[in-house]
Amino acid sequence: MTLRREAFLDRVKERGEYDTAEEAERAARVVLALLGAHLIGRVRAQLAARLPEGFALILLNPLRSAEPLPPERFVRATAAWVEGATEQTAMWDVSAVLSTVADTAAPSPSDEIRECHVPSAPTAPERHAPQ
């Protein structure tokens, strides 16, 4: 069953402790774009089928990575895509989005997503303000 957009963003917002739905959506868009670049074939298609349509399209974007990124480089790449982000806030974004995505996925894609999952920071980092 596909999760509704609002429900998906509500979960990301709650897990990421974001102040607004816009912050949650920004995190979801960046993390899903990077995740989509690293997933291939059936796993990517199965996961996209479980996401709200707009987020599925972001995941299916033809952006391709030359090589898989280990978790710490995935976090650094996320930080590079978000203006004003630090590695700590990017880790928070990745954790909020990937944990929500993993919950929506069928067992097989979920297992692969959990392998990429970066644990959340022990304390909430100071959120960066959009500029």
Side-chain angles (χ1 to χ4, degrees):
M1 177 180 206
T2 302
L3 195 61
R4 285 186 18 252
R5 181 181 190 281
E6 295 79 20
F8 181 83
L9 285 177
D10 284 347
R11 288 181 187 178
V12 172
K13 183 180 174 197
E14 178 183 329
R15 290 176 182 185
E17 299 180 10
Y18 300 110
D19 293 329
T20 66
E22 290 77 19
E23 287 178 295
E25 183 168 354
R26 177 210 34 86
R29 288 177 172 278
V30 168
V31 172
L32 289 172
L34 285 169
L35 181 63
H38 296 282
L39 294 178
I40 58 169
R42 188 176 60 108
V43 170
R44 187 174 166 189
Q46 286 176 339
L47 180 57
R50 298 279 189 166
L51 294 174
E53 183 180 5
F55 293 116
L57 293 174
I58 291 168
L59 185 76
L60 294 171
N61 185 357
L63 176 69
R64 284 278 170 232
S65 175
E67 62 181 294
L69 293 178
E72 56 279 349
R73 286 189 55 210
F74 189 91
V75 170
R76 282 196 300 269
T78 301
W81 278 31
V82 178
E83 187 175 337
T86 64
E87 285 187 32
Q88 187 179 16
T89 60
M91 184 170 63
W92 196 265
D93 293 343
V94 169
S95 179
V97 176
L98 291 186
S99 65
T100 301
V101 169
D103 286 351
T104 67
S108 61
S110 180
D111 292 341
E112 291 203 22
I113 291 165
R114 283 192 177 99
E115 289 176 14
C116 297
H117 180 71
V118 178
S120 60
T123 59
E126 190 173 311
R127 301 297 319 152
H128 50 277
Q131 297 184 4

